Each structure stands twice: as structure tokens, then as C-alpha cells.
Amino acid sequence: MTARLAASVSFLDWMQQVQTGMEAVLDRFLPSPAVVPARLHQAMRYTALDGGKRVRPLLVFAAGELFDTPLPLLERAAAAVEMIHVYSLVHDDMPCMDDDALRRGKPTVHVQYDEATALLVGDALQAQAFEVLSGVTGADDSALVPRQLRMLNLLAQASGSVGMCGGQAIDLASVGMTLSLAELEQMHRKKTGALLRAAVMLGALGGKALSADEMAALDDYAGAIGLAFQVVDDILDATADSATLGKTAGKDAADNKPTYVSILGLAESQALAQRLRSNAHQALAPFGDKAQRLRELADLIVQRKA
Ligand code: GRG
């Protein structure tokens, strides 16, 4: 990826630069398709490359701008969080979980390859994420090692049983059940919110030290966008079509899953997404203009159509 773009660059151009750059970064950090076991490596690349909105890497880079995080560390953090995200999608799509055949506009890994390969792709991407984040960043990397340690700890917590995996466990257990709004929120703060929060915090922790107030403000922002992302996901699942989403639409209702739309209705869910966007903006007030990209990402998350 090239050096940071000036703040005068439009949000769209910045986003496209990060998305394109991420393709090259992931290509660099994924095992070569020629290395044994070639089929596993090809399947890892099939699912991780050429697809997805790259929301988590965008958050890493936007938060990194606030704290002057060095580019090599930003690239590693962005690749690591995207690999964890992709692994979660591959496992989530398997017949033992959501049993889905379409993801990012392509057949899911267990359909394109087979179930055992899908399981291993997820496992290997998870390990690869931690290898990448713990890797050497450059010649003068010793000063970065303490930061990397904190980042590794954060990513492990966000991915594990008190984070994303825990949220998925609650999700699987709640099929066909009536959840209160508070229970639904708790599930999503873990399942989707934990990794989105990690993306923001990873970008920040790689840079100069954060004060307690800065940490709390970023946490508030990350919490608001994490929940907004899921509210919008529920809205899109109920209102968009599969071709637009690149995944099967209407799945939540078909699977009898509690969602924001099923509990609050469409209009109230849309109002909630707007309130969360405004909360995210408010949380960024102490950072002034430097947080412009994070503000724009909050808008994107709420206004997205896929
Ligand atoms: C299997 C351990 C394990 C966890 C799965 C996140 C998750 C937990 C499952 C995904 C199910 C799902 C569709 C959740 C809704 C929110 C979400 C994470 C959507 C997909 O993320 P996007 O929209 O996807 O950022 P792209 O493809 O753009 O990266």
C-alpha cells in the first residue's frame, strides 16, 4: 500500500485506495497457491481475495490516521482482522451453522471445495491472522513489539469465547426463541461488534499512546458503529435481494432468527440506526478534523445498500 493520502482526497477515493491496497496486502500475507498443500492455500485465497467491502481494514486505517500508526503495522493489523472476519464467514456458512451456498457473490467454500476444506480454511486463516500480526514489521521494529503484543491480546479477546465466537454461540442457541432487545444487543455486541471494535482499536493501539479519555471516546464510537452495522444488516436482510447483497437475502426470517426488524419493526430499526450514527459522531468530537474518515465510515455503515 502507498503512503497515507492527504485529507483533501475524497472519501470515495480514499476508500477505493484502501480497498485496492488491501487486495495486494492480503495477496502478500496469504500463503502462495503453489506451496503444499496447494488446494488448501488456493481455497484460502479463493475466499479471502477479490470480495467483500473491507469495512474492518477501512476502520483500521481510519483509526490509524488519528494516532500516526506506522504503515507496516497498519497493513498487518488490517490483514489480520480481515482474515479473522473471513474465517468467521467461512465457518458460519457451513452446514453445521447457517448452511449457506452464496457469499460475496460466489459459492461458499464448502460448496466450491468441500466441508473439510472449509473447516481447515477457517482454522488456517485464524492462525495466519495471528502470524501476520505478530510478524516483523521492518528493520527498526523493536519499538513496535510492545504495541504488537497489546494488539494480539485485543484481537484474541475479540475473536474468542467472550467475543465473536461467544456471540455466535448465543446466536445458534437463540434460533426460534424470543429475545428481549437487551439480549439481542448483547448477542450482536459480541458476534459482530467485537471484531468491528477490534478493528478501530487495533488501528489506534499501533500508534502513539492513547490517553484514558481517548480510549473511552474511541470505545464509544466503536460500540455505536458495531451495533449500527448489525441493525443495518438486519434491515438489508429483510429488504434487499440476494444479487445486491452477494449472499442469500431473507435468511433471518426463513431461519426463524430474532432480529432488530423482527423485534422493533422496519421503521424503528431505521431510526435506531440513525441514532447510533449520531452517537458515533458525538463520540468523535474530541478528535476534531483528524477523525473525518471515522465519521465518514459511520455514515457508510448506516447508509450502505449491501
Ligand atoms: C463462525 C466463529 C464464527 C463466527 C461467525 C460474524 C459471524 C460470526 C457470522 C457472520 C454471519 C453474519 C452474516 C453476520 C451479520 C453481520 C456480518 C458480519 C456480515 C458480514 O460482514 P460484511 O458485510 O461482509 O462486512 P463482507 O463480505 O463485505 O466482508
Side-chain angles (χ1 to χ4, degrees), residues 51-56 82 85-93 97-98 103-104 159 164-169 171 188 191-192 195-196 229-230 233-234 245 247 252 257 304 306:
K53 299 177 289 294
R54 311 295 191 203
V55 169
R56 292 147 196 84
E82 185 68 10
H85 168 58
V86 174
Y87 121 67
S88 82
L89 298 179
V90 173
H91 280 188
D92 183 68
D93 288 333
M97 295 214 194
D98 244 19
R103 173 69 66 182
R104 294 178 161 180
S159 313
M164 184 182 73
C165 283
Q168 179 77 346
D171 185 335
H188 289 312
K191 185 181 132 181
T192 319
L195 205 58
L196 288 162
F229 187 94
Q230 187 61 53
D233 210 72
D234 287 357
L245 294 180
K247 62 180 182 181
D252 294 335
K257 279 194 172 181
R304 70 197 169 98

Side-chain angles (χ1 to χ4, degrees), residues 22 25-26 29 56-57 60-61 72-88 125-135 151-152 155-156 159 195 198-199 202:
M22 267 320 287
V25 169
L26 285 167
F29 286 134
R56 292 147 196 84
V60 171
F61 277 90
L73 201 44
L74 279 180
E75 289 182 346
R76 283 178 182 273
V81 74
E82 185 68 10
M83 285 178 190
I84 296 280
H85 168 58
V86 174
Y87 121 67
S88 82
L125 281 173
Q126 181 170 201
Q128 190 74 14
F130 288 102
E131 183 181 329
V132 168
L133 189 53
S134 60
M151 293 162 85
L152 287 162
L155 187 60
S159 313
L195 205 58
L202 286 175

Side-chain angles (χ1 to χ4, degrees), residues 254-268:
D255 292 348
N256 204 11
K257 279 194 172 181
T259 68
Y260 281 96
V261 176
S262 72
I263 294 179
L264 290 178
L266 194 54
E268 186 48 38

